[in-house]
Amino acid sequence: MSRALAVLGVALLVLAAVAAIAETGSGKSGDSTPIRVGILHSETGSLAVSEIPVIDSTLMAIDELNAQGGINGRKIQVFQLNGQSDEAVFARDARTLIERDKVNVIFGCWTSSCRKTLKPIVEQDKNLLMYPLQYEGLEESPNIVYLGAAPNQQIIPAVKWFLDNRGKRFFLVGSDYIFPHAANAIIKDYLRLYGGKAVGEAYVPLGGENFASIAREIKRARPDVILNTVNGASNIGLFGALRGAGIKASQTPVVSFSIAEQEVQEIGARALAGNYAVWNYFASVDNPENRAFIKSFQARFGQGCLTDDPVEAAYIGVELWAQAVRDAGTPSPMNVLEKIGDENYRAPEGMVYVDDQNHHLWKTTRIGQIRSDGQFKVVWTSETILHPEPFPASRTEGQWLALLHHFDTKWHGWSGPAVSTNVMGANRCRLM
Amino acid sequence: MVRAGGEHQRDGGEPVSTYVDGGLILVGVVAASLCGLFLVRWGLPHKVVKPHHDVTAAIFAITGTIYAVLLAFAVVIVWQSFTDTQTTVTQEANAVADLDRISRGFPVVLRRQVHDEALTYAHVVILREWPLMANGGSSPEANAALIELWHAYTDMHGLQQSSPLYGQSLTELNDITDDRRVRLLSSQSRVPTVMWAMLVLGGVVVVLFSFLFAVRSLWLHAVMTVMLSGMIALSLLLIYVLNGPFAGVVKVQPTAFVTTVDNMEHVQQ
């Protein structure tokens, strides 16, 4: 009798173990506590106009996931802080999100200086930053997923296309911080390689709006194309000064790397019409995924609210992260980072694939010409998705890192002196 | 961006389960044949089949010959396809390595660009495309990487295009492109369903015919049946495991690409 009971007991134990293994294998740990995620963008300051739609898009993706029951049966709980367009605030708030709020991921940052400020924090704390912007490259971090374009997915194709189609003489104008300086270093390398020429280069402090002298300089240099890496509200000053100097888009087009549909709406489409921008996504891309994305976005925030590249990148960032959490069976950042390199997603811009080595996305590149209605007419699309190459081949990785070190030493940080600025944003889209 | 090496699985041979599964199928087929033999001999005793033995032997000779030709044809085709694909893969990997080596005659920026893009292509083929080829698929990333490699050459400055190395590089690129196309087409090749039906039904017919021979000794008849059905089962198993060069249990491995990547990663650009 006692032997029979022992056998029965062992059988029950085995059954319990099998059930536990089956439960683990199904990806549902039984934990129903919410998954804590952080959103860290600027709701105030010079970058708010650009970052607020990105916040909206991130929240929309999270709400959609929660409406579907969350991830692996767990709802997503958002902890949102305001970076105030200030790197010091971003750094402080990132630590707060990780240490106090115990978030598993931060969806955040706009500028490269913000990302570079947060990079050591997420690396040290073994957390994860989903960064939604195109950037200058020259960086890789195991703890950052770069959702925007690397230089060979935006800057380099643009240089090539305008060399082939508009002329050899380029003027480079940008804000005085890491992205424009690094981007222009890449541009000058490729101009040399492809037989073009940089006929001038000028910077204004981050947030600065006085472009009168730069406009005169451009007029004197007589470039075929102006490559613009000016950020945020400063673009109002740039385009005003160009207009004042009589520089027309039909003769000397401005090719912008930081102006998308949101900024066009703020600056004024009529003032920008005829100029160009280079992105992976434009709202005018015609496919079922993009139509559904725009419909959801506008149903939530209003018909006047526009989607653009960073908005879309923020959305697909949440989706890719959610897929990786599902596959990992846990939101733990290091487990998610192990899985995220295998993820791909049919995004509004087309298929995107996470590169398993550098955590950037394989994406399609597009050049769009600004129309007077604020939308972009796509004039060129890359033949296929492009492999992200954070370190352009024109220099070795060591040479690029030395250049970055030079900027860091020069500025004691990742940007030159900033000035106070008018804030765009009268047209902000908020939840309906 | 150069990916880390040493992460790719080398060809480790077929998994143990292949032999176990194959053995079980073989035993099953032989057992079924023996059951059939006992059933037929019980229903049709020796004295019934003996008068027809000569006719049975003549028809068996024709049926057996037709089936043997069919079976041999199928085995040769799948084996040929398998070895051809192996050759194609090796040629493609060699062309990638050659392209990288030839690029050392170009200025350093172009050399670095070609090296990085060739390495990316090889990595993506190994890690992304190889698993997809099991189902006849292909990787958009591999396609993109190959097109980027082409662009590295088509975007070259006029001075470099006049170099004799340029023409040779384009030849290598053409080879890579052609070999990839052949590789992808091979990944979709399978023994057609109608062929499978003929092979299986033909095997059944041949074994059934062997039951009708007038062999006085049951033991001897059973031994002959075991050998015949076992031989046919083994041949069909061979066709099955070789069917689809990138699918199933015996498949072409990316060993040539892994070797190429290992060599390329040790080159300082």
Side-chain angles (χ1 to χ4, degrees):
Chain A
M1 183 65 183
S2 60
R3 179 176 289 186
L5 279 174
V7 169
L8 187 65
V10 169
L12 285 172
L13 278 173
V14 169
L15 275 175
V18 168
I21 290 165
E23 180 73 8
T24 310
S26 72
K28 293 184 180 178
S29 59
D31 184 356
S32 60
T33 55
I35 298 171
R36 301 157 82 93
V37 304
I39 296 180
L40 183 52
H41 284 290
S42 303
E43 292 180 86
T44 54
S46 66
L47 299 170
V49 60
S50 299
E51 291 197 71
I52 285 173
V54 171
I55 299 171
D56 292 341
S57 179
T58 308
L59 287 170
M60 183 175 94
I62 291 171
D63 286 349
E64 285 176 1
L65 286 167
N66 278 335
Q68 293 160 13
I71 307 170
N72 293 341
R74 297 173 68 181
K75 296 280 185 183
I76 303 165
Q77 184 180 6
V78 174
F79 294 81
Q80 185 177 342
L81 293 176
N82 176 8
Q84 300 173 31
S85 307
D86 183 332
E87 288 159 33
V89 177
F90 270 103
R92 185 195 67 202
D93 287 354
R95 286 200 181 88
T96 303
L97 285 171
I98 295 169
E99 290 163 16
R100 186 194 69 189
D101 300 327
K102 310 286 182 203
V103 299
N104 294 288
V105 58
I106 296 174
F107 299 98
C109 277
W110 180 273
T111 60
S112 286
S113 45
C114 168
R115 188 194 65 256
K116 285 191 179 294
T117 304
L118 261 57
K119 180 171 172 272
I121 297 171
V122 291
E123 286 176 353
Q124 190 183 346
D125 290 330
K126 296 186 168 37
N127 213 284
L128 167 60
L129 171 67
M130 302 292 283
Y131 178 65
L133 258 286
Q134 104 304 348
Y135 81 118
E136 70 284 355
L138 319 185
E139 182 182 299
E140 274 183 51
S141 168
N143 296 78
I144 300 176
V145 176
Y146 303 82
L147 302 160
N152 71 309
Q153 297 169 313
Q154 189 196 33
I155 295 168
I156 298 169
V159 169
K160 183 79 177 73
W161 193 84
F162 282 93
L163 268 171
D164 288 347
N165 292 281
R166 293 307 292 248
K168 305 285 183 197
R169 298 166 61 83
F170 288 67
F171 194 99
L172 317 180
V173 58
S175 300
D176 197 15
Y177 77 109
I178 185 66
F179 167 64
H181 279 276
N184 286 338
I186 295 166
I187 288 167
K188 284 183 282 183
D189 280 0
Y190 280 85
L191 281 175
R192 270 194 296 275
L193 190 66
Y194 293 142
K197 187 180 180 189
V199 294
E201 185 175 358
Y203 297 91
V204 290
L206 197 57
E209 292 181 339
N210 186 1
F211 286 86
S213 62
I214 291 176
R216 283 195 297 275
E217 204 180 325
I218 293 172
K219 185 96 176 163
R220 274 197 302 276
R222 290 182 291 108
D224 298 313
V225 180
I226 301 165
L227 296 183
N228 169 27
T229 44
V230 169
N231 209 339
S234 301
N235 280 296
I236 295 173
L238 171 67
F239 284 94
L242 292 177
R243 206 168 40 249
I247 297 168
K248 294 177 183 165
S250 56
Q251 290 161 348
T252 313
V254 180
V255 183
S256 300
F257 297 110
S258 296
I259 290 182
E261 285 84 343
Q262 300 283 352
E263 289 78 15
V264 171
Q265 191 180 36
E266 293 291 340
I267 296 167
R270 290 183 64 183
L272 298 177
N275 291 301
Y276 295 84
V278 190
W279 295 99
N280 306 114
Y281 168 88
F282 288 112
S284 53
V285 169
D286 189 26
N287 63 44
E289 290 77 24
N290 190 33
R291 285 195 289 275
F293 175 60
I294 292 173
K295 192 177 169 188
S296 299
F297 194 79
Q298 294 189 335
R300 191 178 162 98
F301 301 113
Q303 287 299 313
C305 288
L306 302 173
T307 56
D308 63 16
D309 187 285
V311 163
E312 189 246 10
Y315 182 85
I316 63 178
V318 176
E319 294 289 342
L320 287 168
W321 169 80
Q323 285 181 194
V325 172
R326 272 188 215 107
D327 291 347
T330 165
S332 163
M334 296 314 284
N335 294 83
V336 169
L337 278 164
E338 275 179 24
K339 291 286 175 190
I340 206 152
D342 297 330
E343 303 301 340
N344 59 62
Y345 182 66
R346 189 173 290 282
E349 68 182 74
M351 280 303 294
V352 296
Y353 302 80
V354 182
D355 190 88
D356 59 339
Q357 295 298 307
N358 61 36
H359 285 176
H360 290 62
L361 301 189
W362 293 66
K363 318 185 92 186
T364 305
T365 300
R366 296 177 170 92
I367 297 175
Q369 188 172 29
I370 303 170
R371 301 189 314 219
S372 53
D373 64 355
Q375 289 291 328
F376 285 82
K377 177 189 171 191
V378 177
V379 295
W380 179 82
T381 304
S382 61
E383 192 178 342
T384 60
I385 50 170
L386 299 176
H387 171 239
E389 290 165 9
F391 293 92
S394 56
R395 302 183 199 186
T396 62
E397 191 172 324
Q399 287 170 327
W400 285 122
L401 293 176
L403 179 75
L404 289 182
H405 179 70
H406 162 73
F407 292 135
D408 189 22
T409 311
K410 179 177 151 191
W411 293 324
H412 304 291
W414 296 110
S415 60
V419 297
S420 61
T421 179
N422 290 331
V423 176
M424 294 194 292
N427 235 341
R428 286 174 188 175
C429 296
R430 298 273 67 181
L431 196 60
M432 295 288 284
Chain B
M1 170 54 200
V2 177
R3 291 155 190 259
E7 60 193 291
H8 315 304
Q9 288 293 314
R10 287 181 183 277
D11 187 353
E14 301 81 50
V16 174
S17 64
T18 306
Y19 298 107
V20 176
D21 293 348
L24 287 174
I25 291 169
L26 185 65
V27 169
V29 168
V30 168
S33 303
L34 286 174
C35 289
L37 175 69
F38 296 142
L39 209 60
V40 169
R41 283 187 70 114
W42 175 72
L44 297 170
H46 182 259
K47 63 182 178 193
V48 176
V49 295
K50 188 156 190 322
H52 311 291
H53 181 85
D54 292 345
V55 177
T56 305
I59 296 176
F60 180 81
I62 296 166
T63 314
T65 305
I66 292 171
Y67 185 68
V69 169
L70 185 69
L71 200 59
F73 176 73
V75 170
V76 167
I77 289 291
V78 291
W79 179 247
Q80 191 72 46
S81 168
F82 188 84
T83 52
D84 285 353
T85 307
Q86 261 181 333
T87 306
T88 304
V89 167
T90 307
Q91 283 172 349
E92 185 185 354
N94 285 344
V96 172
D98 291 345
L99 189 72
D100 181 49
R101 193 167 287 277
I102 293 168
S103 74
R104 291 177 210 171
F106 288 118
V108 67
V109 174
L110 295 172
R111 180 196 316 169
R112 207 179 289 136
Q113 194 174 346
V114 170
H115 177 77
D116 286 357
E117 285 166 6
L119 207 45
T120 299
Y121 174 69
H123 272 290
V124 172
V125 166
I126 296 166
L127 293 174
R128 301 281 198 212
E129 193 150 74
W130 222 266
L132 294 172
M133 286 192 302
N135 296 317
S138 63
S139 159
E141 292 141 288
N143 186 51
L146 184 55
I147 287 172
E148 279 182 59
L149 204 45
W150 269 104
H151 282 171
Y153 285 92
T154 53
D155 291 349
M156 270 186 190
H157 206 263
L159 200 63
Q160 275 98 45
Q161 289 191 359
S162 60
S163 160
L165 297 178
Y166 185 79
Q168 182 59 38
S169 300
L170 289 193
T171 306
E172 298 293 348
L173 256 178
N174 263 323
D175 289 347
I176 296 170
T177 310
D178 292 348
D179 287 338
R180 177 171 185 261
R181 201 174 295 125
V182 172
R183 171 166 56 80
L184 293 179
L185 285 171
S186 302
S187 75
Q188 294 164 5
S189 73
R190 297 281 188 281
V191 173
T193 310
V194 64
M195 185 90 160
W196 269 122
M198 286 182 71
L199 288 169
V200 174
L201 283 175
V204 170
V205 167
V206 168
V207 173
L208 281 177
F209 253 109
S210 73
F211 298 162
L212 301 177
F213 282 112
V215 181
R216 189 177 300 279
S217 161
L218 173 62
W219 181 82
L220 192 61
H221 203 171
V223 168
M224 287 193 282
T225 302
V226 166
M227 288 194 292
L228 180 67
S229 59
M231 194 64 220
I232 290 173
L234 280 173
S235 302
L236 292 179
L237 270 174
L238 180 64
I239 296 167
Y240 174 75
V241 296
L242 292 176
N243 185 23
F246 299 101
V249 285
V250 179
K251 54 192 168 195
V252 178
Q253 299 287 342
T255 316
F257 273 96
V258 174
T259 308
T260 297
V261 166
D262 285 349
N263 291 337
M264 285 171 71
E265 282 182 337
H266 290 109
V267 175
Q268 181 67 40
Q269 290 295 311

